[in-house]
Amino acid sequence: MKKTILRLCAAAFSAAALCAGIAVPVSAKNVIDNGDFRYTVLEDGVSVQLTSYTGHSLYISIPRTVKEYNVVSVGAAAFRGNKDIKELDLTDSVKSIGSCAFEDCTSLRKVMLPGTLEEVSSGAFSDCTALSEITIDDGVRVIGDYAFSGCSSASEIKLPNSVDYIGDGAFLGCTALTKPGIPKTLEYFGAYALENTAWMKAQKGEFVTVGDGILIKYRGDSTTKSVPDSVKSIGSAAFAGNEKLKKIMLSSSVSSVGSAAFEDCISLEEVYLPDSVMSIGDRAFAGCRALSTLSLPKGISRINKECFTQSGLVNITLPASAVNIEDGAFRGCERLVEVTFTEGLKKVFGNAFAECSALRRAVFPSSLREIEGYAFSNCNSLTRVEFNSDAEIKSFAFSECQNLFEAVFYKNPSKLEPSAFNLCTKLTIYSDNNLYLQEYAAANGAKSEDIRNLKNFELNAPIENQEETQTAFSGGYTFAVILIILVDTGLIILFSGYILFIEPKQRAAAAKRMKEKSRKKKAPVRPDDDDVVNVEFVGPQGSAAKDKPVKKRPVDDAQNKPVKKRPAAKVGHPEATETGKPVHSPVARNENHRRAPSAVKAPKDDKSATKEFIKRSDKEQK
């Protein structure tokens, strides 16, 4: 909001300052004085220009002729500041009105402009605060910058269809204007031309258009926006100063982007420009510091003045259709690292890339004819420049490029002015044994080398060979990418098959093994049928008892209670003796005998039989 206010103030100041430097001539050769009017004879010898008026009439009609001369124009500031004139009638002999001709005529109420008048010059009727009736005949083509600015009483202006150009601030501050009457034939509509008018305040919606689809104002607050198909051109300053907009997409119906259209859109990161765009105006993207990359349309013929100055561009490829890069087009782009110059470029104007402190290398095409002074001045990261043409290089073109090590000339320049590489103290000039360049290097304190001594020469081939190199590289790169994609796809398929088919089976088998292992650990260990121990009892007489499986524990006859289970050591089992615990698993095997449970014991009344039983058991185990 603050920036918008500042812009309006600047526009108003521009309107006020427009005529400040214009002086009304007081004397000149071939001057004709005719009462209150003074005329100057023009070079053709048959016509004159009205240069000043000193009278106090309320009604002024410009005469057709003075003596034998035709009155063809009203000079700059001829009536400026007159407080008496109320009506003005220009005859059809007048073809032009100079800048600020009627500025600040505060009593002027009515103006009639003939069709012979092709242009209403800048500030011609600015600050005529009483002017309410304006008639413009068919034939007028141009309404200059601030031509009617500050005419606060004008409520309606009828512009003929012949008008195709309305300059910046043309009706700025016409607060009562409700019917501007903008024709459909209009081709250009200047910045802030209808700002601060009653008509502008009455408009609704985000997009304000005039004429045949000229977008003059965007009033939304979205971060991402698509311009509707009804818009055919982006007017000057239409988005200027918008701090929220991050992404803008223009439709294929848009043919031009006006001056300062996106200036100081500090959040703007992405812009889509269709190939239908044929021109981009001065300062269109100036100050867009978040804008790092941009694809330029193929049809634009030039990069206009300060178009991208102080923007955030990191790299840019210029289309082949761009013949000129004009003054300050990329000046102060501190993040700009790489610029691709394509065949078709003819001229780089002054300061075009000045102060691009990150720019590293510049390779100029064979079509280049001239590089103006200071075009690449103060590019402190620039290390190498290559020239594939005989372009003329003007003084200070690469001034103060402190880290410029190599200037490679594949062709002899048509002109290389002495200060072209001013203060490039580390420079070595490479050429094909060119005496002219060797002499230049010696005269300007630079080194000179044969181009065959250039390091990495094959990697930095002339630009006419780069297309083949890039094509070959592109083919190899494409093959490598396809191969990588195929390998990755195969790996993905194998991994997916493993996940879907093999891994579930492996996990099921592992789970089954774990379950079996867990079951075996929890289940009590019982002897198999083949492991049932048969105990041979030896009685007092030494007779052996029949082999029978022990199923019941012995009972104490005296108390009629089961005998408590004794430790296996009492039975004489070696393993039980070591562990001190009852034996639960078979350890001794014998074909004819089986181990007795620990609960079975020899009769108490025969100690010798017990000893014999223990000995026999030990032998059998051994």
Side-chain angles (χ1 to χ4, degrees), residues 433-460:
N433 292 319
N434 187 281
L435 183 61
Y436 168 66
L437 290 172
Q438 291 175 1
E439 291 177 351
Y440 174 88
N444 291 276
K447 300 177 182 179
S448 62
E449 293 283 347
D450 191 330
I451 203 167
R452 288 173 294 183
N453 299 329
L454 186 63
K455 295 179 180 179
N456 300 323
F457 171 68
E458 294 182 357
L459 297 178
N460 300 279

Short mmCIF file of all heavy atoms in Angstrom, two decimals, residues 433-460:
data_model
loop_
_atom_site.label_atom_id
_atom_site.label_comp_id
_atom_site.label_asym_id
_atom_site.label_seq_id
_atom_site.Cartn_x
_atom_site.Cartn_y
_atom_site.Cartn_z
N ASN A 433 47.27 -16.43 -32.94
CA ASN A 433 48.47 -15.73 -33.40
C ASN A 433 48.12 -14.42 -34.09
O ASN A 433 48.66 -14.09 -35.15
CB ASN A 433 49.28 -16.62 -34.37
CG ASN A 433 49.90 -17.80 -33.65
OD1 ASN A 433 50.40 -17.65 -32.53
ND2 ASN A 433 49.88 -18.96 -34.28
N ASN A 434 47.19 -13.68 -33.51
CA ASN A 434 46.75 -12.44 -34.11
C ASN A 434 47.61 -11.27 -33.63
O ASN A 434 47.64 -10.96 -32.45
CB ASN A 434 45.27 -12.19 -33.76
CG ASN A 434 44.71 -11.01 -34.51
OD1 ASN A 434 44.94 -9.86 -34.13
ND2 ASN A 434 43.98 -11.28 -35.58
N LEU A 435 48.29 -10.65 -34.57
CA LEU A 435 49.21 -9.59 -34.21
C LEU A 435 48.49 -8.40 -33.61
O LEU A 435 48.98 -7.78 -32.66
CB LEU A 435 50.00 -9.15 -35.45
CG LEU A 435 51.07 -8.08 -35.23
CD1 LEU A 435 52.13 -8.59 -34.25
CD2 LEU A 435 51.72 -7.68 -36.55
N TYR A 436 47.32 -8.07 -34.16
CA TYR A 436 46.55 -6.93 -33.66
C TYR A 436 46.21 -7.11 -32.18
O TYR A 436 46.38 -6.19 -31.37
CB TYR A 436 45.28 -6.77 -34.50
CG TYR A 436 44.26 -5.82 -33.91
CD1 TYR A 436 44.53 -4.46 -33.81
CD2 TYR A 436 43.02 -6.26 -33.47
CE1 TYR A 436 43.61 -3.58 -33.28
CE2 TYR A 436 42.09 -5.40 -32.93
CZ TYR A 436 42.39 -4.05 -32.85
OH TYR A 436 41.47 -3.17 -32.32
N LEU A 437 45.73 -8.28 -31.80
CA LEU A 437 45.37 -8.52 -30.41
C LEU A 437 46.59 -8.59 -29.51
O LEU A 437 46.55 -8.20 -28.35
CB LEU A 437 44.55 -9.81 -30.31
CG LEU A 437 43.15 -9.73 -30.92
CD1 LEU A 437 42.49 -11.09 -30.96
CD2 LEU A 437 42.28 -8.76 -30.13
N GLN A 438 47.70 -9.11 -30.05
CA GLN A 438 48.93 -9.14 -29.27
C GLN A 438 49.41 -7.72 -28.97
O GLN A 438 49.84 -7.42 -27.86
CB GLN A 438 50.00 -9.93 -30.02
CG GLN A 438 49.70 -11.42 -30.11
CD GLN A 438 50.72 -12.15 -30.95
OE1 GLN A 438 51.66 -11.56 -31.46
NE2 GLN A 438 50.53 -13.45 -31.11
N GLU A 439 49.32 -6.85 -29.97
CA GLU A 439 49.72 -5.47 -29.76
C GLU A 439 48.78 -4.77 -28.78
O GLU A 439 49.21 -3.96 -27.95
CB GLU A 439 49.71 -4.74 -31.10
CG GLU A 439 50.82 -5.20 -32.04
CD GLU A 439 50.73 -4.51 -33.39
OE1 GLU A 439 49.70 -3.81 -33.63
OE2 GLU A 439 51.66 -4.65 -34.19
N TYR A 440 47.48 -5.08 -28.88
CA TYR A 440 46.52 -4.49 -27.95
C TYR A 440 46.85 -4.92 -26.52
O TYR A 440 46.84 -4.09 -25.60
CB TYR A 440 45.10 -4.92 -28.31
CG TYR A 440 44.06 -4.46 -27.31
CD1 TYR A 440 43.45 -3.22 -27.44
CD2 TYR A 440 43.71 -5.26 -26.22
CE1 TYR A 440 42.52 -2.78 -26.52
CE2 TYR A 440 42.78 -4.82 -25.29
CZ TYR A 440 42.18 -3.59 -25.44
OH TYR A 440 41.27 -3.15 -24.51
N ALA A 441 47.12 -6.20 -26.32
CA ALA A 441 47.44 -6.71 -24.99
C ALA A 441 48.69 -6.01 -24.44
O ALA A 441 48.72 -5.59 -23.27
CB ALA A 441 47.64 -8.22 -25.04
N ALA A 442 49.71 -5.87 -25.29
CA ALA A 442 50.95 -5.23 -24.83
C ALA A 442 50.72 -3.77 -24.47
O ALA A 442 51.28 -3.25 -23.49
CB ALA A 442 52.01 -5.36 -25.91
N ALA A 443 49.87 -3.09 -25.24
CA ALA A 443 49.63 -1.67 -25.00
C ALA A 443 48.76 -1.42 -23.78
O ALA A 443 48.80 -0.33 -23.20
CB ALA A 443 48.98 -1.05 -26.24
N ASN A 444 47.99 -2.40 -23.37
CA ASN A 444 47.04 -2.20 -22.26
C ASN A 444 47.37 -3.04 -21.04
O ASN A 444 46.51 -3.26 -20.18
CB ASN A 444 45.63 -2.52 -22.74
CG ASN A 444 45.11 -1.50 -23.74
OD1 ASN A 444 44.59 -0.45 -23.36
ND2 ASN A 444 45.25 -1.79 -25.02
N GLY A 445 48.59 -3.53 -20.97
CA GLY A 445 49.03 -4.22 -19.78
C GLY A 445 48.45 -5.60 -19.57
O GLY A 445 48.40 -6.09 -18.44
N ALA A 446 47.99 -6.24 -20.64
CA ALA A 446 47.44 -7.59 -20.53
C ALA A 446 48.41 -8.59 -21.14
O ALA A 446 49.30 -8.23 -21.93
CB ALA A 446 46.10 -7.67 -21.24
N LYS A 447 48.23 -9.86 -20.81
CA LYS A 447 49.04 -10.93 -21.40
C LYS A 447 48.37 -11.41 -22.68
O LYS A 447 47.18 -11.18 -22.90
CB LYS A 447 49.17 -12.10 -20.42
CG LYS A 447 49.85 -11.73 -19.11
CD LYS A 447 49.88 -12.93 -18.18
CE LYS A 447 50.50 -12.57 -16.84
NZ LYS A 447 50.51 -13.74 -15.92
N SER A 448 49.14 -12.07 -23.53
CA SER A 448 48.56 -12.65 -24.75
C SER A 448 49.09 -14.05 -24.94
O SER A 448 50.28 -14.32 -24.67
CB SER A 448 48.89 -11.77 -25.96
OG SER A 448 50.30 -11.71 -26.17
N GLU A 449 48.23 -14.94 -25.38
CA GLU A 449 48.59 -16.34 -25.60
C GLU A 449 47.95 -16.84 -26.88
O GLU A 449 46.93 -16.32 -27.33
CB GLU A 449 48.12 -17.21 -24.42
CG GLU A 449 48.81 -16.94 -23.10
CD GLU A 449 50.20 -17.54 -23.03
OE1 GLU A 449 50.53 -18.36 -23.91
OE2 GLU A 449 50.96 -17.19 -22.10
N ASP A 450 48.59 -17.89 -27.44
CA ASP A 450 47.98 -18.57 -28.59
C ASP A 450 46.76 -19.33 -28.10
O ASP A 450 46.75 -19.90 -27.01
CB ASP A 450 49.00 -19.55 -29.19
CG ASP A 450 48.54 -20.08 -30.54
OD1 ASP A 450 47.31 -20.20 -30.74
OD2 ASP A 450 49.39 -20.41 -31.37
N ILE A 451 45.73 -19.35 -28.90
CA ILE A 451 44.48 -20.00 -28.50
C ILE A 451 44.68 -21.49 -28.25
O ILE A 451 43.92 -22.12 -27.50
CB ILE A 451 43.40 -19.76 -29.57
CG1 ILE A 451 42.01 -19.91 -28.95
CG2 ILE A 451 43.57 -20.68 -30.76
CD1 ILE A 451 40.90 -19.40 -29.83
N ARG A 452 45.72 -22.06 -28.86
CA ARG A 452 46.00 -23.49 -28.65
C ARG A 452 46.53 -23.76 -27.25
O ARG A 452 46.54 -24.89 -26.79
CB ARG A 452 46.99 -23.98 -29.70
CG ARG A 452 46.38 -24.11 -31.09
CD ARG A 452 47.42 -24.43 -32.12
NE ARG A 452 48.37 -23.32 -32.30
CZ ARG A 452 49.34 -23.33 -33.21
NH1 ARG A 452 49.50 -24.37 -34.00
NH2 ARG A 452 50.14 -22.29 -33.31
N ASN A 453 46.96 -22.73 -26.56
CA ASN A 453 47.44 -22.89 -25.19
C ASN A 453 46.33 -22.73 -24.15
O ASN A 453 46.57 -22.81 -22.96
CB ASN A 453 48.53 -21.86 -24.90
CG ASN A 453 49.73 -22.03 -25.80
OD1 ASN A 453 50.04 -23.15 -26.23
ND2 ASN A 453 50.41 -20.92 -26.10
N LEU A 454 45.13 -22.52 -24.63
CA LEU A 454 44.01 -22.29 -23.73
C LEU A 454 43.64 -23.57 -23.00
O LEU A 454 43.48 -24.63 -23.60
CB LEU A 454 42.80 -21.79 -24.54
CG LEU A 454 41.57 -21.37 -23.75
CD1 LEU A 454 41.89 -20.18 -22.86
CD2 LEU A 454 40.44 -21.01 -24.70
N LYS A 455 43.52 -23.49 -21.71
CA LYS A 455 43.16 -24.65 -20.90
C LYS A 455 41.72 -25.07 -21.20
O LYS A 455 40.85 -24.24 -21.39
CB LYS A 455 43.30 -24.33 -19.41
CG LYS A 455 44.73 -24.04 -18.98
CD LYS A 455 44.78 -23.72 -17.50
CE LYS A 455 46.20 -23.41 -17.06
NZ LYS A 455 46.27 -23.07 -15.62
N ASN A 456 41.54 -26.39 -21.22
CA ASN A 456 40.20 -26.95 -21.45
C ASN A 456 39.56 -26.38 -22.72
O ASN A 456 38.37 -26.11 -22.78
CB ASN A 456 39.28 -26.66 -20.25
CG ASN A 456 39.81 -27.24 -18.97
OD1 ASN A 456 40.38 -28.32 -18.96
ND2 ASN A 456 39.64 -26.52 -17.87
N PHE A 457 40.39 -26.22 -23.74
CA PHE A 457 39.89 -25.61 -24.98
C PHE A 457 38.73 -26.40 -25.57
O PHE A 457 37.72 -25.85 -25.98
CB PHE A 457 41.03 -25.51 -25.99
CG PHE A 457 40.57 -25.10 -27.36
CD1 PHE A 457 40.09 -23.83 -27.59
CD2 PHE A 457 40.61 -25.99 -28.42
CE1 PHE A 457 39.67 -23.45 -28.85
CE2 PHE A 457 40.20 -25.62 -29.68
CZ PHE A 457 39.73 -24.34 -29.89
N GLU A 458 38.85 -27.73 -25.58
CA GLU A 458 37.82 -28.56 -26.21
C GLU A 458 36.51 -28.53 -25.42
O GLU A 458 35.45 -28.75 -25.97
CB GLU A 458 38.32 -29.99 -26.37
CG GLU A 458 39.49 -30.10 -27.35
CD GLU A 458 39.93 -31.53 -27.54
OE1 GLU A 458 39.36 -32.39 -26.85
OE2 GLU A 458 40.83 -31.77 -28.34
N LEU A 459 36.63 -28.26 -24.14
CA LEU A 459 35.41 -28.18 -23.33
C LEU A 459 34.71 -26.84 -23.51
O LEU A 459 33.57 -26.67 -23.12
CB LEU A 459 35.75 -28.38 -21.85
CG LEU A 459 36.32 -29.75 -21.48
CD1 LEU A 459 36.65 -29.78 -20.00
CD2 LEU A 459 35.33 -30.85 -21.81
N ASN A 460 35.42 -25.88 -24.11
CA ASN A 460 34.85 -24.56 -24.31
C ASN A 460 34.93 -24.19 -25.78
O ASN A 460 35.51 -23.19 -26.18
CB ASN A 460 35.60 -23.53 -23.46
CG ASN A 460 35.52 -23.85 -21.98
OD1 ASN A 460 34.54 -23.54 -21.35
ND2 ASN A 460 36.55 -24.47 -21.44
#
